[in-house]
């Protein structure tokens, strides 16, 4: 970005160095003004609209009201805390005990407002939709959904600097750590910096930040239950797999790629939006210390993906509010198909692992009884 008075100087530097460029956004402030901030009225669920962005307090009030309305299946959960003392709040949706889990983490980069809006839309649809496919996935799994995992940064992006990315911990004369470079998986190997003035400052060590440390502890407490982990980001229209340290296809790369590509096909049906699927290193760039690499490596969760939502750069982090609904609809379409495709490939086929263990034990005992009887 450049201020208007430095535009010509910037273009001279680019031209002198043979760097090709196009102007993707001629007036950033104008794009910010178009984002449309809504006002949520407490105890009035209808005042939550999907053509507006909301502050942290309004989102939390809406979550409280939503859980109060659907208290039979929804509860507020706390996944961690922040440097400034806020809670990392989310919602658990469960239609019965013993189900396998889906975990959604969103808003770890403060300026990516569309991720939070879309994640809230998913929560709303899982609780309120009349679509049979959505109702089915809502009932089959336990859902752990955290719309804003960087609350301090999100508040700052509303109150002070719209393009803020990091948390708000002071580091000497600077502020903030990139929370998606701070997880303990190949920390500081690629795509990060030790300069706290940069947007990709990785912190002074893995899990140096209270946000990543406490959230990782919460996720670890669900170890063995989670079948699908999703991290929501913007922008570029990508579906990313672990890992970010190499283009080599680690773990169940081939299955995850096939499942993801099919789901992105489903995403494209409604509005024609095209996504590219690949691991972090091959689809975008080398980058380590992110959440999806850690949950895959440390917890061995079967399916792990990172969405990079709309668009491809025209608005970037400043996606207009009139794109919230189409983005949310197509992402939810893909999520339904992601689960369907996962089952086709032999994943996520049981919503009650405890019953499966019991059945396996009973079957084994039956076999042993037959063997003993015939012997």
């Amino acid at each position: 970005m450049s201020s208007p008075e430095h535009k010509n100087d910037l273009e001279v530097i680019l031209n002198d160095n043979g760097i090709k460029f196009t102007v993707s956004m001629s007036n950033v402030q104008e794009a910010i003004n178009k984002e449309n901030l809504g006002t949520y009225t407490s105890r009035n669920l209808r005042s939550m609209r999907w053509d507006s962005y909301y502050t942290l307090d309004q989102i939390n009030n809406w979550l409280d009201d939503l859980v109060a309305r659907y208290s039979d299946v929804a509860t507020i959960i706390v996944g961690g805390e922040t440097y400034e003392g806020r809670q990392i709040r989310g919602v658990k949706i469960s239609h019965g005990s013993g189900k396998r889990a889906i975990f959604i983490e969103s808003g770890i980069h403060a300026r990516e407002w569309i991720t939070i809006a879309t994640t809230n839309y998913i929560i709303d649809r899982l609780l309120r939709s009349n679509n049979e496919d959505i109702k089915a996935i809502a009932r089959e799994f336990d859902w752990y959904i955290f719309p804003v995992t960087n609350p301090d940064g999100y508040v700052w992006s509303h109150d002070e600097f719209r393009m803020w990315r990091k948390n708000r911990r002071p580091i000497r004369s600077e502020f903030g750590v990139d929370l998606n470079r701070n997880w303990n998986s190949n920390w500081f190997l690629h795509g990060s910096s030790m300069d706290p003035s940069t947007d990709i400052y990785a912190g002074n060590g893995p899990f140096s930040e209270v946000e990543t440390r406490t959230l990782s502890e919460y996720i670890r407490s669900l170890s063995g239950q989670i079948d699908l982990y999703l991290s929501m980001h913007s922008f570029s229209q990508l579906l990313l797999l672990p890992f970010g340290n190499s283009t080599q296809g680690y773990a169940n790369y081939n299955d995850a790629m096939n499942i993801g590509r099919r789901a992105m096909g489903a995403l494209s049906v409604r509005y024609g939006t095209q996504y590219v699927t690949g691991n972090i290193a091959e689809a975008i760039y080398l980058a380590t210390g992110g959440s999806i690499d850690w949950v895959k490596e440390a917890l061995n969760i079967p399916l792990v993906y990172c969405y990079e939502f709309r668009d491809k750069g025209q608005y970037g982090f400043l996606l207009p509010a009139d794109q919230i609904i189409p983005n949310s609809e197509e992402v939810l379409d893909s999520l339904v198909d992601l689960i369907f495709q996962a089952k086709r490939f032999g994943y996520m086929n049981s919503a009650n692992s405890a019953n499966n263990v019991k059945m396996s034990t009973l079957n084994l005992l039956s076999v042993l009884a037959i063997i003993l009887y015939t012997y």
Side-chain angles (χ1 to χ4, degrees):
M1 288 195 292
S2 169
S3 61
E5 59 266 27
H6 292 128
K7 175 177 179 290
N8 290 336
D9 293 339
L10 175 60
E11 291 185 356
V12 167
I13 292 170
L14 295 171
N15 286 324
D16 286 349
N17 287 276
I19 299 172
K20 296 180 180 180
F21 67 90
T22 57
V23 177
S24 62
M25 190 180 301
S26 60
N27 191 325
V28 173
Q29 187 60 50
E30 186 178 76
I32 292 174
N33 295 341
K34 287 181 178 179
E35 287 191 295
N36 191 28
L37 297 179
T39 300
Y40 176 73
T41 304
S42 293
R43 294 181 292 279
N44 181 8
L45 289 175
R46 291 185 179 180
S47 67
M48 172 59 83
R49 298 173 55 87
W50 304 111
D51 58 359
S52 304
Y53 294 106
Y54 293 89
T55 66
L56 180 68
D57 286 343
Q58 291 172 332
I59 291 169
N60 285 337
N61 289 339
W62 172 71
L63 290 176
D64 288 337
D65 291 344
L66 198 65
V67 165
R69 171 65 178 82
Y70 297 96
S71 59
D72 54 331
V73 296
T75 54
I76 294 293
I77 51 178
V78 177
E81 59 190 64
T82 73
Y83 174 80
E84 294 182 341
R86 294 182 175 90
Q87 293 180 331
I88 299 174
R89 301 175 86 242
V91 171
K92 178 183 178 182
I93 300 172
S94 177
H95 288 261
S97 61
K99 297 179 183 292
R100 304 295 295 165
I102 296 172
F103 196 105
I104 300 178
E105 155 247 306
S106 181
I108 202 168
H109 286 152
R111 63 193 177 191
E112 297 171 8
W113 288 8
I114 184 59
T115 68
I116 295 161
T118 293
T119 300
N120 286 336
Y121 179 90
I122 291 170
I123 293 172
D124 180 83
R125 294 296 80 201
L126 289 172
L127 289 172
R128 293 156 54 89
S129 177
N130 290 320
N131 178 280
E132 291 302 323
D133 290 335
I134 296 172
K135 287 164 65 176
I137 65 171
R139 291 169 177 162
E140 188 173 355
F141 299 94
D142 283 348
W143 295 78
Y144 295 82
I145 307 178
F146 291 89
V148 189
T149 52
N150 179 10
D152 296 351
Y154 186 61
V155 170
W156 193 257
S157 75
H158 275 266
D159 293 349
E160 300 294 337
F161 179 39
R162 174 62 186 86
M163 299 299 286
W164 191 254
R165 170 182 169 105
K166 303 181 287 182
N167 73 353
R168 288 296 302 165
R169 182 170 72 86
I171 300 100
R172 300 185 293 278
S173 61
E174 303 292 341
F175 284 86
V177 171
D178 182 349
L179 296 179
N180 208 43
R181 297 293 186 275
N182 191 241
W183 297 68
N184 191 15
S185 176
N186 291 310
W187 176 81
F188 194 59
L189 185 62
H190 295 292
S192 57
S193 171
M194 287 305 290
D195 180 355
S197 69
T198 66
D199 271 347
I200 54 173
Y201 174 55
N204 57 9
F207 290 141
S208 63
E209 306 311 294
V210 64
E211 292 90 348
T212 54
R213 188 167 62 252
T214 56
L215 183 59
S216 68
E217 290 167 355
Y218 183 85
I219 299 168
R220 189 182 287 278
S221 74
L222 303 173
S223 180
Q225 301 176 43
I226 303 172
D227 276 351
L228 174 63
Y229 185 100
L230 302 176
S231 179
M232 305 307 206
H233 286 256
S234 72
F235 59 96
S236 287
Q237 294 172 199
L238 302 169
L239 185 70
L240 303 176
L241 287 60
F243 292 86
N245 63 308
S246 171
T247 57
Q248 184 174 338
Y250 295 115
N252 57 336
Y253 170 88
N254 290 329
D255 280 356
M257 278 289 289
N258 284 324
I259 293 166
R261 283 173 172 165
R262 285 165 169 77
M264 293 308 98
L267 183 147
S268 71
V269 171
R270 191 183 291 260
Y271 296 106
T273 309
Q274 298 297 314
Y275 273 56
V276 172
T277 304
N279 77 16
I280 298 167
E282 67 183 341
I284 184 165
Y285 44 61
L286 290 167
T288 58
S291 64
I292 68 167
D293 282 9
W294 180 80
V295 297
K296 185 65 177 177
E297 179 183 20
L299 305 183
N300 197 30
I301 292 173
L303 293 174
V304 179
Y305 296 97
C306 170
Y307 278 82
E308 294 280 357
F309 293 158
R310 295 185 180 194
D311 56 11
K312 285 185 170 291
Q314 179 182 359
Y315 292 102
F317 302 118
L318 304 174
L319 198 70
D322 61 10
Q323 293 198 40
I324 293 173
I325 290 176
N327 183 82
S328 300
E329 289 176 336
E330 67 193 12
V331 167
L332 186 53
D333 289 344
S334 74
L335 179 52
V336 171
D337 197 66
L338 192 67
I339 294 169
F340 172 76
Q341 297 297 339
K343 291 181 176 182
R344 290 187 63 222
F345 279 78
Y347 298 84
M348 304 180 72
N349 279 317
S350 171
N352 193 327
S353 59
N355 283 345
N356 272 355
V357 172
K358 290 177 183 177
M359 288 304 297
S360 297
T361 303
L362 288 172
N363 288 338
L364 178 60
L365 290 173
S366 298
V367 171
L368 288 173
I370 292 170
I371 292 172
L372 289 172
Y373 178 78
T374 55
Y375 183 79

